[in-house]
Amino acid sequence: MHSRRKASDTLIEMTAAGEGEDSNGPLFENNSNPDSELPGNSEGLSSTESTFLISNHGKYSLFLQHRLRIDKHHQSKDSIFFRDGVRRIDFVLSYVDDPGKEMDRKMERRKDFEKNLELSGLELETEDKKESEDGKTYFVKIHAPWQVLSTYAEVLNIKMPIKENDIPPAIGNPFNCMLGVFRLPEKVMNPEPDYFTAPFSKQRQELYLIHDENSFFTPSTRNRIVYYILSRCPYGTEEGKKKFGVKRLLSNGTYTSAFPLHDCQYWKKAKDSNCDSERYTLYMEWARFARFYKEQPLDLIRKYYGEKIGIYFAWLGFYTEMLFFAALVGLICFLYGVITMDENMSSKEICDPAIGGQIIMCPLCDRNCEYWKLNTTCENSEYSHLFDNVATLFFAIFMGIWVTLFLEFWKRRQARLEYEWDLVDFEEEQQQLQLRPEYEAKCTSKKKNPVTQEIELVIERRTFQVFGKLFLCWMSIMFWILLIIASMVAVIVYRLSVYAAFASIMENNQSLEPISGLLTPQTATSVTASFLNFILIMILNFLYERVAIWITDMEVPRTHLEYENRLTMKMFLFQFVNYYSSCFYVAFFKGKFVGYPAEYTYMFGNWRNEECDPAGCLIELTTQLTIIMAGKQIWGNIQEAILPWVQNWWRRRKARGHPENLYSRWEQDHDLQSFGNLGLFYEYLEMVIQFGFITLFVASFPLAPLLALMNNILEIRVDSWKLTTQHRRPVAAKAHSIGVWQEILNGMAILSVVTNAFIVAFTSDMIPRLVFYYAYFTNEESPMAGYINSSLSVFDTREFKNGTEPLENPMGYTNCRYRDYRYPPDHEKRYSHTMQFWHILAAKMAFIIIMEHVVFLVKFFVAWLIPDVPSEVKARIKREKYLTQRILHEYELNKLKEKLGGKTDYVDVENEVKATTGKMQLSEAI
C-alpha cells in the first residue's frame, strides 16, 4: 500500500503553469477569455469560478504534517477512513491490471487522471492488489479536505445552515394519537434540526454553523462534490481530442468501478463513534418487510441518498397511500357484483336449460367448429357480472376524479417537501442543466451565449447531419413500434388458429368434463394468448431498452436533463404500445368487426375475426389485464430482489468467512451491484406503467387498484431493501420534483377518462341492457326478461358459404343464433341492422360525450379549487426568506462596522452604516 500527498498547486494553477492541451485543460477557467477551450457558465458554474484557488496552508498543512500511521493489522478494514483513521473516504475507484495491449495506455490514463485529481485538491490513498480479497483489484480511496469542499460548495451553490429554525411548527394532525402504531421514532423521522440556510460562501464562513469542519458537510454532499470533480477532471489527449471524466474511464476499462462508500454494514452498527450508522438505521426501520405498515423516514432517506432518491420514495409512498382509497372503492364495487350475482337476469337466462339450453349458437370458426348451446357459457356469464354491472359506471367516474385528486394533492405534498428540504430556490440551471461530459468531449467550436454573454463550447452540426440523425432515430423507434404491432397481430392469429384445436380437444377429452363449464375453448384461448403476449412483451422490452439507450447516446443530448427526458419519452412511448396494445385490441376491436355468418370478415383473407362471448368481451379484457399486470409485477420483483441477491452472493462467496480486518469496507461495497445513473428511471417507468393499468382500463377490473396497492406495499420495501443491502451507495443528486413523469401522468389521467368511457360504452353490456330496460322490455314485472334473446340474431344455416359450414350437423339444425342486432332471414331487410342497433349506438355515443364532459368538468374544477402550494407553506417560505435575509443583512452590517471602525472620518462611517441599514429596512418592507 502507498499513500499520496496533495500537490501544493490546484488544477487551475497546474494549467496556468503550462499543462496546455496535454492535460486537456483546466477543470475551470475564466469564461471571459474568448480563446477558452473549456465549457462556460452553462455548466452551472459562476463566472467567478476561476478565482477559487485552493491553497496549501493553515490547518490543512498542519494536518498533512501530522497524519497518523496505523498498522493495517491493528486497524479494522471495515472502516470509512484513511489509514490515519481521521480523513474520511468520500469516493473509491477500483481497477485491475490488464495484461493486454491496452495495459500501458490505461496505466498512463490513470497516472494523469490521479495526478490531476491531486492537483485539484483531492487526497488519494491506494490499496495494493495484494491487500484485496481477490488479489487482483487495486482500490484508490479519495478524500476531499475542507478547502475543496468549501470551494465547490460555493461553486455548486449548496445551501448550508446559518441558524436553527425558530418558526413554530405547523398544527399537528388531530388524529396523530390514533396513528401512533404507524409512526417511527422521532430521531429516525427527524435526524437533524431544521435550519435557516443560505448559499455557502467562503468569504462568510463565520456566518454558518460550523461546529466541526469534518462533519459540517454531510457524506452525501461530500460524495456529490467529489463526483462533480471526477466527472470533469482531465486525463490527457488522445487522437487529437481532449479526454476527461471518470465516466469515459469506466467505459474504456481504465477503472472498473467508481462509488461512494456506505457508512457501515447494514446488519450492525459501525464500531467507530464518528460514524452515524445511518445505513443500519435505514435497514432496521425502513428496508425490512416487517416494517411494511410504518411510515417512511423520508428525511433520513434524503440525508443519506440525496433529494433525488428521497423524492422518488416520497412520491411512491404518497401514490400508495392514495391507492388505498381507490382500492377500497374498487373492492366495494366488486363485492356489489358478488352480492348481486344471483339477481343478474342475463346470466339466469343463459344458464336456464329452458332458455340458454334451447338456443343453438352458430359455430365460432369455419369448418372444424360445431354448433353449440348457449348455456355452455353459463359460468363465464356469471363471472362476467362481477365486473360488468352498474357499479362499473360509478367506479369509472370515481377513478376519473380520484386521479385528479391524486395529482393535485401530490403537487401540494411536493411543494411541502421543497420547503422542508430547502429546495424552494433550487436553481435548475445550476444543478440539472449541467453539461454532460459526453457532450463536452464532442464539442468542436465555440459560441457566445446570447443570455449570459459567456463563451460556450458547442457541437457544430450540419443540417444534413441533424436531419439524418433525427430521421434514423425516429425510423428506429417506428420500426420497434411496428414490431410490437406485428407481435400483437401474431398473437391474434394464434388466437384465431388454436381456437378450433382447443374446441376439438375439449369436446373429445372426457377428463376435462368436470371443468368444461369453467374452461371453455374461449377461456383457454384467451388465457394462453395472454401468457404468450406477456412473454413477447418481456422479450421486446429487453431488446428495446438497449436500442433506446443507444439511440439517445447517438443524439448526444447537451444536458443530463435533456438526456433523461429524451430517453424517458422513447422508453415510455415504446412501453405504452408494448403493454397496452393487447388490452386496446380486446377492449375496442375484438368482436366489433365480425360481420355475420354469411358475410364474415377475415384477417388477411384466411382467419375469421374473433367474436365476443355472448356475455360480452369485458371478462376477457379483465383476464388479459390481470395476467399482464400481475405477471409484470411478479417478474419485476424477481428482477429487482432475487437477481441482485443471487449475483451479490455469487460475487461474495469467497469472502463470506473473512473477518472484517481482511474484508474491507470498500471491497464489501465493490462486490455489490451498481445502482447506475438510470436506476430511478426504471423505478419510475415501472410505476407509471402500473398507473396506466389502474386508470386506463380500470372500468373492466375494479380490483386493479387493490392489486396495485398490495404490490406497492411490497415494492417500497423491495426497493428500499435492495438499495440499502444489495446496491452500492448511489451518488447523491438534487431534484425538486419527479420531472417529466408529472406531465406523463397528467396525459394518462386525461386519456383514462376517454378510454373508460369507451370501455363502458362499447366493451361492457351496460348500455345495451339499459336501452332494452327502458325501450324494448316486454315484461313489466321483470323488464330484463328476454334481453338475451333480444341481443341474439337468427341465421339460416343453409346460407353458409361453401367451405365455411360445419363439417357435421348431426341434429340437422336449420337456424343458429349469433351476437348482433340484425333482422332475421325471413324479413324484407334480412341481415340488415335493426333500429335497436342504431338506438344502442346513439346511446353509446351520447353516454361517451356526457361522461367525458361531466368528468372533465369535475376534474378541472377540482384542479382549480386545490392550490398547488398550501397557503401555510407559502407563508412559511416568505417568513423564512425574510428572516434569512435579515440575518444576512445583520451580518453584513456588523462586518461593515468592523471594517470601518478604523476610519477617522466618522461621517463616512455613519453614512455607510445608514445606507446598509436603510437597505435592510427596504428589503424587509418589500
Side-chain angles (χ1 to χ4, degrees), residues 23 36 53 77 164 220 274 368 394 427 444 524 570 596 664:
S23 66
S36 169
L53 301 179
K77 292 179 72 177
E164 192 164 342
S220 60
N274 293 324
N368 295 322
F394 165 77
E427 297 187 18
T444 55
K570 290 183 183 69
Y596 63 97
S664 63

Side-chain angles (χ1 to χ4, degrees), residues 49 431 599 749 908:
E49 184 182 328
Q431 306 297 340
E599 293 291 340
D908 290 342

Side-chain angles (χ1 to χ4, degrees), residues 497-562:
S497 303
V498 303
Y499 177 82
F502 278 123
S504 176
I505 292 172
M506 293 180 180
E507 180 182 356
N508 300 320
N509 195 330
Q510 298 299 322
S511 62
L512 297 177
E513 187 65 27
I515 59 172
S516 60
L518 182 63
L519 187 64
T520 62
Q522 295 99 317
T523 305
T525 302
S526 176
V527 171
T528 56
S530 298
F531 275 110
L532 177 62
N533 186 61
F534 174 72
I535 294 171
L536 288 174
I537 286 173
M538 293 297 103
I539 294 174
L540 290 173
N541 272 350
F542 176 80
L543 297 175
Y544 181 75
E545 177 184 313
R546 285 147 182 80
V547 173
I549 294 175
W550 172 75
I551 293 174
T552 309
D553 287 340
M554 188 175 63
E555 293 174 350
V556 196
R558 184 171 181 269
T559 67
H560 294 285
L561 187 61
E562 285 182 16

Side-chain angles (χ1 to χ4, degrees), residues 69-323:
R69 300 294 183 182
I70 300 177
D71 193 303
K72 64 178 180 290
H73 298 295
H74 293 88
Q75 181 192 16
S76 170
K77 292 179 72 177
D78 187 33
S79 170
I80 57 172
F81 295 94
F82 273 21
R83 290 180 225 118
D84 56 21
V86 177
R87 290 173 293 167
R88 187 185 188 97
I89 301 172
D90 297 313
F91 227 87
V92 175
L93 304 176
S94 68
Y95 64 91
V96 295
D97 285 333
D98 187 356
K101 60 182 180 180
E102 291 284 324
M103 180 177 179
D104 292 339
R105 180 177 292 185
K106 290 180 180 179
M107 289 179 61
E108 188 64 28
R109 289 171 184 160
R110 283 194 293 267
K111 180 180 178 181
D112 289 344
F113 186 71
E114 291 170 19
K115 175 184 176 183
N116 289 337
L117 287 179
E118 290 180 321
L119 291 172
S120 69
L122 298 177
E123 297 176 21
L124 278 59
E125 185 177 79
T126 299
E127 294 285 339
D128 192 86
K129 66 180 180 180
K130 296 177 182 178
E131 303 297 327
S132 64
E133 174 267 327
D134 60 4
K136 301 177 182 178
T137 307
Y138 294 87
F139 291 94
V140 181
K141 298 174 289 183
I142 301 174
H143 168 75
W146 170 257
Q147 283 79 1
V148 172
L149 294 172
S150 57
T151 296
Y152 284 88
E154 186 168 359
V155 168
L156 295 175
N157 204 36
I158 296 174
K159 290 186 175 182
M160 301 306 295
I162 58 176
K163 180 184 177 182
E164 192 164 342
N165 193 336
D166 56 4
I167 300 178
I171 300 175
N173 189 338
F175 300 102
N176 276 342
C177 58
M178 301 172 57
L179 302 175
V181 67
F182 304 107
R183 302 295 185 194
L184 288 173
E186 181 65 21
K187 186 178 180 180
V188 177
M189 289 302 298
N190 300 293
E192 54 187 2
D194 189 18
Y195 295 103
F196 294 136
T197 61
F200 188 80
S201 171
K202 289 185 68 175
Q203 307 302 320
R204 299 185 295 190
Q205 290 189 32
E206 61 271 23
L207 175 64
Y208 302 91
L209 301 179
I210 305 177
H211 303 300
D212 181 6
E213 290 183 353
N214 292 326
S215 60
F216 180 64
F217 294 103
T218 63
S220 60
T221 302
R222 296 173 70 101
N223 74 56
R224 178 174 159 231
I225 289 174
V226 173
Y227 184 73
Y228 182 86
I229 298 173
L230 291 174
S231 64
R232 282 159 175 77
C233 184
Y235 60 86
T237 304
E238 296 178 6
E239 299 177 357
K241 294 184 179 180
K242 300 182 300 181
K243 302 294 181 181
F244 55 87
V246 71
K247 287 185 67 176
R248 185 177 292 272
L249 292 173
L250 290 170
S251 64
N252 61 30
T254 303
Y255 290 103
T256 55
S257 63
F259 54 92
L261 289 180
H262 284 294
D263 62 358
C264 66
Q265 295 171 329
Y266 68 85
W267 64 86
K268 66 178 180 179
K269 291 185 177 181
K271 295 180 179 180
D272 195 324
S273 59
N274 293 324
C275 180
D276 294 331
S277 298
E278 291 173 344
R279 184 190 188 192
Y280 170 79
T281 304
L282 285 170
Y283 174 71
M284 297 301 295
E285 302 290 349
W286 177 53
R288 294 187 301 154
F289 186 74
R291 314 292 280 179
F292 76 92
Y293 61 94
K294 294 287 187 178
E295 60 185 335
Q296 297 188 86
L298 294 177
D299 287 342
L300 185 58
I301 297 169
R302 171 243 183 172
K303 181 184 176 186
Y304 192 75
Y305 291 114
E307 287 80 3
K308 192 169 186 179
I309 289 178
I311 205 78
Y312 163 73
F313 281 104
W315 175 81
L316 180 57
F318 183 80
Y319 172 43
T320 304
E321 291 172 12
M322 291 295 291
L323 273 176

